[in-house]
Amino acid sequence: MRGRIRIKELRPINLEGGYLLDGFPSVGFSSAIATESMIQTSQFSLAGIVDSDSFPPISLIKDGKPNFPTRIFVNNDLKVSVFLSYLTLQESLHRVVAKTMLNWAKKQKIELIISSVAVKDQDVIEGIVGVGNTDSARTKLQKAGLKNIEQGTIPGIPGVLLNEGSLTGQDVIVILFHSSGIGPDFKSGAELCMAMSQLIPGASCDIPLLQEEAEKAEQSMKKIEEESRLLKDSMYR
């Protein structure tokens, strides 16, 4: 069935009371770079894959091995999971992807989902801010030293996570950051990674290593986006 998202867990996972990071790209690649960098600078390992007949049929080759372009990584010690994707998804898939993440979070008894969204207009926000969908999520924001915005619009997967999570009592925090969506996203990716680490006890970001990994990750993501576009044009023209 087109649009259906399939999750295959590759090993036992115990994340009760833990965290889920949304690493799907939005404007630019900062969100995906931040989560990729956190994976590379901490003890994360592959725990599952995410796939759909609606995803571009692409294999990501890393270190000579094939990989699904959307995968789940887990740090058992921190009880943190990451949905890391190299795919920029069509808007028609945003709702089903968000609901799939929420269902998986419920199954894993996740305490907090952390997502992010880029804001192109620097005058709209000052620094890194966030929004929580429940009283407890807003309390977590405050304890992390992040300001909760009072007015705004959150599009795409992060917006669906906020709305649907509030109906079920699932804590969701969306971090807002500035990104032009043009050129290298290291700076905004680094700031986002640091903000995420403020919300997760024990998490940290190695900035020098993050820059190196961010540059590699951005190159890979842009290449896959271009190949996906060319593949779609050749298959459906």
Side-chain angles (χ1 to χ4, degrees), residues 190-207:
E191 291 175 348
L192 178 57
C193 190
M194 294 297 291
M196 288 178 171
S197 67
Q198 289 175 243
L199 290 162
I200 302 172
S204 62
C205 296
D206 184 324
I207 296 300

Side-chain angles (χ1 to χ4, degrees), residues 135-148 173 199:
D135 288 340
S136 57
R138 287 185 284 272
T139 298
K140 290 180 174 71
L141 264 179
Q142 184 178 20
K143 288 182 177 179
L146 297 173
K147 181 181 178 181
N148 190 85
I173 287 176
L199 290 162

